[in-house]
Amino acid sequence: MSCLPEDVRALALMLPETVEGAHQGHPDYRVGGRIFATLWTNEARVVVRLTPEAQASWLDAEPAAFEPVPGAWGARGWTSLELDLVEEETLRGALLTAWRIVAPPGLVARYEGLALDP
């Protein structure tokens, strides 16, 4: 079953110290003041901040659903995820990966075994 924009919000806000904000008119999710995901509600997609290595792994695992953002942003790891092409488990994994990349190291260490299970 595909995911919905509401799933992004619910799952992202389960992550420690995550707050919802807005970026260029789109809801975003931040930890430590840094954006790790931006939701494009009308397009049913979420853009997650990954490292280039993590991006390559997700692209290999789900090539139909993941795509680098065009240009320099994508080269730095920002990755678009089509919500209607993924299961919830994949969305959970992508959000958790992005959160770990962006969150302060001390926070990540405190939640080393964190799993995003609703």
Side-chain angles (χ1 to χ4, degrees):
M1 187 167 148
S2 62
C3 295
L4 301 170
E6 303 85 66
D7 298 323
V8 173
R9 182 176 193 274
L11 292 168
L13 291 175
M14 290 176 68
L15 293 163
E17 298 186 25
T18 294
V19 295
E20 185 172 3
H23 177 73
Q24 297 183 358
H26 301 282
D28 68 32
Y29 303 93
R30 301 168 187 239
V31 61
R34 299 174 63 204
I35 298 171
F36 68 90
T38 302
L39 179 61
W40 294 71
T41 307
N42 293 339
E43 297 175 26
R45 71 182 173 99
V46 62
V47 173
V48 291
R49 182 174 182 190
L50 304 175
T51 63
E53 296 79 19
Q55 180 187 66
S57 293
W58 283 107
L59 290 170
D60 287 344
E62 300 266 353
F66 287 86
E67 176 179 30
V69 170
W73 288 99
R76 289 191 300 241
W78 287 93
T79 307
S80 184
L81 170 57
E82 298 296 326
L83 296 175
D84 58 348
L85 298 178
V86 296
E87 300 290 327
E88 186 178 305
E89 181 179 349
T90 301
L91 175 59
R92 286 193 319 256
L95 289 170
L96 183 55
T97 300
W99 180 88
R100 284 184 173 136
I101 289 166
V102 171
L107 182 61
V108 173
R110 282 198 314 261
Y111 292 96
E112 185 176 323
L114 180 67
L116 191 54
D117 294 321

